[in-house]
Amino acid sequence: MQVLTDTTLEELKQKAVQLRRDVVDMIYEAGSGHPGGSLSVMDILVLLYYRVMRIDAANCRYHDRDRLVLSKGHACPALYAILADKGFFPVAELKRLRKIDSILQGHPDMRKIPGVEMSTGSLGQGLSAANGMALAARLDNSTRRVFVVLGDGEIQEGQIWEAAMTAAHFRLDNLTAFLDFNGLQIDGWVRDVKSQEPLVEKWKSFGWHTLEVDGHDYRSLMEGVNRAFSYKGAPTMIIARTVKGKGVSFMENQVDWHGKSPSKDEYEKALRELRDGEGGENFHGTDGHQGSLR
Amino acid sequence: MEPMATREAYGKALIELGLKQEKVVVLDADLSKSTKTSLFAEKFPLRFFNMGIAEADMMGTAAGLAASGYIPFASTFGVFATGRTYDQIRNSIAYTRLNVKIAASHTGITVGEDGASHQTLEDIALMRVLPNMTVVVPADGRQTFQAVEAIASFEGPVYLRLGRSAVPQVIPEELPFELGKAQILREGNDLLIVAAGIMLGTALEAAGILEKEGVRAAIVNVHTIKPLDNELLVRMAGNTGAVVTAEEHSIIGGLGGAVAELLAENCPVPVVRLGIRDTFGESGAPQALLQKYGLTAENLALAGKKALKLKKSGK
């Protein structure tokens, strides 16, 4: 059971602003990518990587590390920014996102990028892989945990529901899933494209311990994680309500920002907003990656 | 050894493997009695996962187990193990180069009475086109034992193609088995017969027919279709100057396709492909289907003569 102090909370918020700036930076440099979902998922990943997961950048393949599968692989700029910040690979590599010969592929590649546990990108596949990792942890009698982050559009894929049955059937209580519930997919609002309601009831009826949290409130997210860890006999689904494009006013809740890079003006405006936002000015430091939180 | 279906040999081989390698785990999609993984399940219940009728999820789960150091064998019928799960295999297994063994039973037209929906005639093509994938087609029961052991020791994704019906032992016991190394079953200078799986028996019979007509045919067993034994095939194609391929699979994209591609670039001699001619199958007894779809020794001998004629005419 972990409680976030006011100091930690402030550090997490500042870290997230720095990382959101990295995301905007990377996608601007790359000239393509997916800002909306990267910004919506950020706080989920920040809490996991800076407060919850047992990992070690210096020894990134050690056997009993916790695993995270970013099933919504297109949000990888968020993951890459975090992995670089934690020292899995040089921060300078972020500028090479989506470029020829870079390790930072447009979607996560576990064979190229230290710290990436599963290649994803073709939606719907990550939960099955996470289940396999959770089964492996059980076979190993290990206390390591497996996390998986799904997109809300993504769960229209049938394989997700095959895997949902699997996790419940095998009682994978070492598995915690997050749904980045930002309500948007490429062609519009999820409820209009193909509704998933009743969403909470669906996961519950599939045998999951299902929670709802605010995906941009670290204390709410932490509470979800605490409850997931203490729950035995079933996997936990944490439905995290988020805002697509969170942190950049003109991207928030705008479907057009699912998969495009900002113009120069938009880029500068986005960085200004992130600097002046909740993280406050000058937290970023001159080198940009020396926050107190690692 | 008595005639034995390769799926039967697979089931038995898994038990031996399970005893030797504790990292071996087995997954099935509600067909364990047919794929014979039920034998492993009885012996090692904690290392067996029945994934229900959910093949895509099975492949992804196998990938997750492999990513954590296990050696998963994922089994179902060939038609579901490849086409239905193509994207899962492509993105979660082949692209990731994870150590998953896809062992597919009930491949080819000899599935028989279940009909076209269950007869995969394109699985080799689908798996062969994937980077990082190894494709193995054992010819008989003993070779299946050897193949299971070999692929378990090999690090990387493998597609193992197995059949429903009993097949006689055709590969001499003394021939060593090595992944990627084709086996010469018969020497001959006039014609090269390249075969895989159940077509080896047919090839031996066809060589007998041709022998009576004065044609000495060599026979090569290509148990590993990918990576193909380029060196041996190019050399023997060069020696004979005429090639015929035989497989229980579409002539497009399978063994015949692989051999034709190789030889067109490296040793352009006539290649005549015997296989299913771009059509779906149908219900019927396995032997009747082989007859109807032309996978017979007589047809193979005719294909051989066509290759010889092409060689002589220089066309």
Side-chain angles (χ1 to χ4, degrees):
Chain A
M1 174 91 179
Q2 203 184 143
V3 179
L4 301 181
T5 64
D6 289 347
T7 315
T8 305
L9 190 64
E10 195 51 35
E11 284 176 346
L12 289 171
K13 283 182 182 172
Q14 293 198 0
K15 180 59 74 180
V17 175
Q18 169 205 322
L19 293 165
R20 281 193 166 92
R21 287 172 61 100
D22 287 343
V23 163
V24 172
D25 236 359
M26 290 162 75
I27 294 173
Y28 176 67
E29 286 284 337
S32 68
H34 299 85
S38 303
L39 295 173
S40 70
V41 81
M42 185 59 90
D43 297 311
I44 297 168
L45 294 181
V46 164
L47 183 81
L48 292 176
Y49 273 93
Y50 293 89
R51 269 289 160 266
V52 176
M53 287 171 63
R54 295 163 296 185
I55 48 170
D56 180 4
N59 184 15
C60 67
R61 306 297 295 171
Y62 88 92
H63 193 64
D64 270 330
R65 69 192 184 278
D66 289 344
R67 266 70 165 181
L68 182 137
V69 177
L70 183 63
S71 193
K72 49 171 298 185
H74 57 281
C76 58
L79 178 62
Y80 296 169
I82 289 170
L83 292 175
D85 184 61
K86 294 190 78 74
F88 281 86
F89 51 82
V91 170
E93 192 67 24
L94 296 180
K95 296 266 186 204
R96 305 211 4 89
L97 171 70
R98 291 177 164 247
K99 292 187 177 158
I100 192 81
D101 294 334
S102 169
I103 60 167
L104 298 185
Q105 298 295 297
H107 292 85
D109 181 340
M110 63 181 284
R111 292 297 182 189
K112 290 202 165 96
I113 311 170
V116 169
E117 297 290 354
M118 187 67 202
S119 304
T120 51
S122 177
L123 292 175
Q125 299 192 24
L127 184 53
S128 300
N131 285 342
M133 292 175 188
L135 286 170
R138 179 184 292 175
L139 286 169
D140 287 348
N141 287 316
S142 167
T143 60
R144 67 178 184 262
R145 291 193 165 274
V146 180
F147 302 89
V148 57
V149 181
L150 308 171
D152 53 352
E154 176 181 19
I155 66 170
Q156 288 163 346
E157 289 282 2
Q159 188 185 347
I160 291 293
W161 301 100
E162 296 181 7
M165 281 186 264
T166 296
H169 178 78
F170 290 104
R171 302 176 184 277
L172 298 178
D173 51 21
N174 55 354
L175 174 78
T176 307
F178 287 84
L179 187 71
D180 179 11
F181 187 23
N182 62 34
L184 282 165
Q185 58 187 114
I186 295 177
D187 275 351
W189 290 100
V190 174
R191 64 173 181 264
D192 296 331
V193 174
K194 187 151 96 175
S195 171
Q196 304 159 339
E197 295 299 335
L199 184 63
V200 177
E201 288 78 359
K202 269 202 183 73
W203 285 99
K204 282 185 178 165
S205 70
F206 270 72
W208 285 61
H209 173 226
T210 307
L211 308 171
E212 290 177 88
V213 305
D214 178 338
H216 299 305
D217 176 337
Y218 288 108
R219 286 201 165 121
S220 179
L221 281 162
M222 191 71 241
E223 166 74 11
V225 171
N226 285 332
R227 288 175 63 190
F229 284 10
S230 59
Y231 197 88
K232 299 295 167 215
T236 295
M237 164 54 73
I238 300 177
I239 297 174
R241 289 187 184 277
T242 56
V243 173
K244 196 152 181 165
K246 174 75 177 175
V248 179
S249 64
F250 57 90
M251 292 184 184
E252 287 189 359
N253 288 321
Q254 295 303 311
V255 73
D256 288 347
W257 286 101
H258 171 86
K260 73 165 176 177
S261 98
S263 68
K264 189 159 191 300
D265 284 351
E266 290 163 338
Y267 164 67
E268 283 164 1
K269 185 160 185 264
L271 287 190
R272 253 195 327 274
E273 283 190 16
L274 285 166
R275 190 188 57 218
D276 299 338
E278 56 185 332
E281 212 164 344
N282 294 330
F283 81 93
H284 200 238
T286 45
D287 60 5
H289 291 277
Q290 294 299 315
S292 58
L293 215 55
R294 295 301 281 193
Chain B
M1 260 172 108
E2 291 294 297
M4 181 191 269
T6 50
R7 64 175 164 135
E8 189 83 41
Y10 166 65
K12 290 178 177 163
L14 275 185
I15 293 180
E16 284 182 26
L17 192 64
L19 290 169
K20 279 188 274 190
Q21 295 201 43
E22 59 174 22
K23 287 293 184 188
V24 167
V25 293
V26 175
L27 301 90
D28 206 299
D30 196 40
L31 287 169
S32 65
K33 292 186 189 76
S34 299
T35 63
K36 302 298 173 188
T37 60
S38 57
L39 303 173
F40 184 95
E42 276 169 37
K43 185 93 179 163
F44 308 102
L46 298 178
R47 289 153 64 188
F48 175 80
F49 304 101
N50 199 326
M51 304 303 294
I53 307 168
E55 296 80 9
D57 180 45
M58 174 170 75
M59 293 306 172
T61 307
L65 281 157
S68 301
Y70 283 87
I71 308 172
F73 278 70
S75 283
T76 179
F77 289 2
V79 72
F80 312 127
T82 56
R84 189 182 192 98
T85 56
Y86 185 74
D87 188 43
Q88 285 74 24
I89 294 173
R90 181 188 189 276
N91 283 304
S92 289
I93 296 176
Y95 178 46
T96 54
R97 224 164 56 241
L98 283 167
N99 199 16
V100 176
K101 317 303 173 188
I102 300 158
S105 73
H106 294 66
T107 60
I109 199 143
T110 52
V111 165
E113 293 79 355
D114 275 355
S117 62
H118 283 54
Q119 296 161 343
T120 179
L121 305 172
E122 67 281 356
D123 54 319
I124 296 174
L126 287 171
M127 294 297 102
R128 189 169 78 81
V129 77
L130 288 172
N132 298 333
M133 186 62 77
T134 293
V135 179
V136 178
V137 185
D140 60 25
R142 187 188 298 118
Q143 185 147 84
T144 304
F145 275 92
Q146 295 168 327
V148 168
E149 190 165 327
I151 66 174
S153 308
F154 169 82
E155 174 84 25
V158 177
Y159 178 66
L160 180 69
R161 186 185 214 235
L162 306 165
R164 174 186 172 221
S165 308
V167 285
Q169 292 300 312
V170 289
I171 311 299
E173 193 162 7
E174 63 276 12
L175 270 190
F177 179 88
E178 192 185 334
L179 284 178
K181 294 284 176 214
Q183 299 171 313
I184 301 172
L185 295 195
R186 193 179 194 275
E187 300 280 359
N189 294 321
D190 300 325
L191 174 73
L192 173 62
I193 302 175
V194 181
I198 65 161
M199 295 306 286
L200 262 306
T202 314
L204 286 162
E205 215 181 307
I209 297 170
L210 289 165
E211 183 81 52
K212 285 182 192 143
E213 301 180 24
V215 176
R216 288 158 304 155
I219 299 177
V220 166
N221 171 30
V222 178
H223 53 68
T224 309
I225 295 185
K226 189 185 178 185
L228 203 57
D229 190 343
N230 295 352
E231 188 273 325
L232 178 136
L233 289 169
V234 168
R235 176 164 49 83
M236 292 191 71
N239 288 348
T240 54
V243 176
V244 57
T245 62
E247 63 195 308
E248 189 197 3
H249 182 273
S250 170
I251 55 166
I252 302 169
L255 173 68
V259 169
E261 289 161 15
L262 171 76
L263 297 181
E265 286 186 352
N266 298 286
C267 181
V269 299
V271 177
V272 177
R273 299 163 299 159
L274 184 74
I276 307 291
R277 302 197 70 82
D278 196 19
T279 180
F280 289 105
E282 65 182 81
S283 290
Q287 282 306 320
L289 287 164
L290 289 172
Q291 201 74 40
K292 177 164 178 176
Y293 287 82
L295 301 187
T296 62
E298 294 73 24
N299 263 339
L300 184 51
L302 281 175
K305 281 190 266 187
K306 182 179 173 191
L308 284 172
K309 202 174 157 197
L310 287 166
K311 171 167 81 166
K312 287 195 188 110
S313 68
K315 281 178 193 163

